Amino acid sequence: MQYQREKQPGRIIKLISVFIGQLSGVVIVLMFLLLTSGILKAEIQVQKKDIDQDGRIDQTAYLDDEGRLSKLHIDTNQDGFEDVFQLYAQGALVRIERDTDFDRVIDTRDRFEKGKRVSQERLDRNNRVVQAITFDAQGQVATVKTDTRDDGRFDTVHLYENGLLQASTQDTNGNGRVDTWDFFREGHPHERRKDVNGDGRVDAITQFGPDGSPSASSHDTDGDGQMEFVQTYRGGRVVKQETDGNQDGKPELTTLFKNGQPIEEQVDVNEDGTMDRRVTFAGGKPILQQEDTDFDGRMDTAYFFDTKGERVRSEHDTTADGRPDTWQFYTRGALTAMEQDRNSDNEPDLRLQYKAGRRDKMIRDDDFDGRFENTQWFNRPQWQVVVEVDADGDHGIDSRYFYKDGILRIKEVDETSRGGIFLREYYDAKGALVKSEEAQDAAGPVSITWHFDPGGNPMRAEKDNNTDGQVDIWFYYEKGRIIKVEEDSNHDGKVDLWESYDSGEQMIMRKKDLDFDGVGDVEETF
């Protein structure tokens, strides 16, 4: 295929250039005016070519008067529109402009010096440079600056040496300040530094292995300038994570990972350099947590979890003898029961039940004979706790104690263990005995009632002598010594016998109402 050759008038310009050096200044000015006025024009050749022989011109070359190429326009996709424009100076290529997406807008501009490309600019539809690339003497990329946010500023810069990427910087938040620095070796990532909080200081550093995956990272999470958080990687995944918050060189928290999930966590609770808590994971959820609560170097507490990560059981060594003596049980994460071995015989002698997270019932073997004789209830209305004791082991209640605010308020005793009450004692809010009731028969009514002063001494007593429910005898005391007795001997509701006692509790007077009219008829003194 031959170029179509076109000539334009103006060969005279070549002759002018030969003799122009010999002309005077006036003639030179005259010739310049002739050229610029159009009377004389340089001859320019235009050559057009149909490369793919489809009947349409797809390459146009412009030659200067010496036959050297000055411009070359190319239609690379045969759509009838030129999309590559090459510009030459004295036959040497100096610039190429391209429309790479064929939208009839130039989007790439390359510049050349001495036949070698020295830079490239990529443009948006508004003719703004969004990427600028420079090349070294060998034609390899030297720098790449990119405006990724389309805000008119280069926020990402890549630096190359011998064609290999060496370093890059980024402004990821668009504030005009670099916050990410990447360094490379042999074209592969070697280290990344980041200013995460935007204070101008590096607070995260990541190192990479030969394969380009991260091998370690360190982080300043509190902005104090110290890297207290460190991660170690294998195969691009975290395998170890350490936190040294107090910057003493010893991590307070270490977490081990496998396949991206935690398998163990170690915690130095008191920051003494020794791990006091160890958590074991399965499937990313905890299955066992061990703790050294007294910091003696031995784990004394263990918590066990189900597959959902909820606590189901715990064991505690409260005596530091290396053996658990307290066990706690959970349902759906809530405490439901506890057992305790208080005499270190490896057998529980205390059991406690919970409902809705609160204590409900406790049984105790206080004499460690294997039989739980003491029962405590925490669900009785108005009472903090009610204690029931089966002292003789006949499975009946021998005594019962009622507490409020930690103070014994009522005590009941059943000597037969058949459910009746032989003795009931009442205590005030300070725990002092104020009244007691006694019965001759556990199934019968109260036979005698005692009243006490704040010192616990009896003040008076009331006795139902014939168990008819009516008081028949009254006893009066002073400082704990009996001083007077009154009695209704015929059970008519009126006193008919009076007795008086001295400080030695000896009777000194007795008076009787013989006809039961309420007036004493016979009086004796002693």
Side-chain angles (χ1 to χ4, degrees), residues 67-258:
R68 294 176 301 192
L69 189 62
S70 62
K71 292 187 295 182
L72 179 62
H73 296 183
I74 305 172
D75 174 12
T76 62
N77 65 340
Q78 294 81 41
D79 64 350
F81 297 96
E82 297 167 335
D83 48 68
V84 176
F85 305 88
Q86 298 181 181
L87 303 179
Y88 297 80
Q90 298 180 352
L93 181 64
V94 295
R95 187 166 79 247
I96 298 178
E97 297 181 350
R98 294 184 178 89
D99 171 18
T100 61
D101 56 4
F102 310 115
D103 64 350
R104 304 179 197 177
V105 177
I106 297 299
D107 50 47
T108 303
R109 184 185 298 130
D110 292 280
R111 300 184 185 277
F112 296 79
E113 293 181 3
K114 298 180 181 180
K116 294 183 178 181
R117 184 168 58 171
V118 295
S119 68
Q120 182 185 85
E121 294 177 339
R122 295 182 181 177
L123 314 172
D124 63 11
R125 294 190 61 84
N126 297 318
N127 202 37
R128 292 186 303 182
V129 178
V130 295
Q131 187 176 73
I133 304 174
T134 63
F135 301 86
D136 60 17
Q138 287 72 41
Q140 296 176 318
V141 175
T143 64
V144 179
K145 299 179 180 180
T146 308
D147 174 13
T148 64
R149 304 175 67 87
D150 197 28
D151 60 0
R153 293 185 295 188
F154 293 124
D155 50 67
T156 302
V157 178
H158 292 80
L159 305 177
Y160 295 79
E161 187 175 320
N162 297 324
L164 294 176
L165 183 60
Q166 299 295 314
S168 69
T169 61
Q170 296 181 67
D171 168 19
T172 61
N173 56 16
N175 65 357
R177 295 188 300 182
V178 173
D179 52 54
T180 303
W181 298 261
D182 288 297
F183 302 91
F184 301 80
R185 285 184 180 176
E186 298 181 355
H188 298 293
H190 171 64
E191 181 178 286
R192 167 172 285 184
R193 301 180 180 183
K194 286 187 68 67
D195 172 17
V196 178
N197 61 4
D199 65 353
R201 298 187 300 183
V202 173
D203 43 39
I205 300 176
T206 303
Q207 286 85 33
F208 299 87
D211 62 350
S213 63
S215 60
S217 65
S218 53
H219 308 261
D220 173 16
T221 60
D222 54 10
D224 65 351
Q226 302 293 327
M227 300 292 180
E228 72 279 350
F229 181 72
V230 178
Q231 292 179 312
T232 304
Y233 301 78
R234 186 177 297 119
R237 287 184 169 182
V238 176
V239 295
K240 190 178 188 180
Q241 186 171 284
E242 297 177 302
T243 301
D244 180 12
N246 61 3
Q247 294 294 314
D248 64 351
K250 301 175 183 178
E252 299 89 46
L253 173 62
T254 299
T255 306
L256 305 179
F257 296 82
K258 185 176 182 180

Side-chain angles (χ1 to χ4, degrees), residues 365-383:
D365 174 15
D366 290 332
D367 55 9
F368 310 116
D369 64 352
R371 183 176 55 82
F372 292 84
E373 70 278 353
N374 185 309
T375 302
Q376 297 184 15
W377 298 92
F378 302 92
N379 59 0
R380 301 298 170 84
Q382 300 180 352
W383 299 109

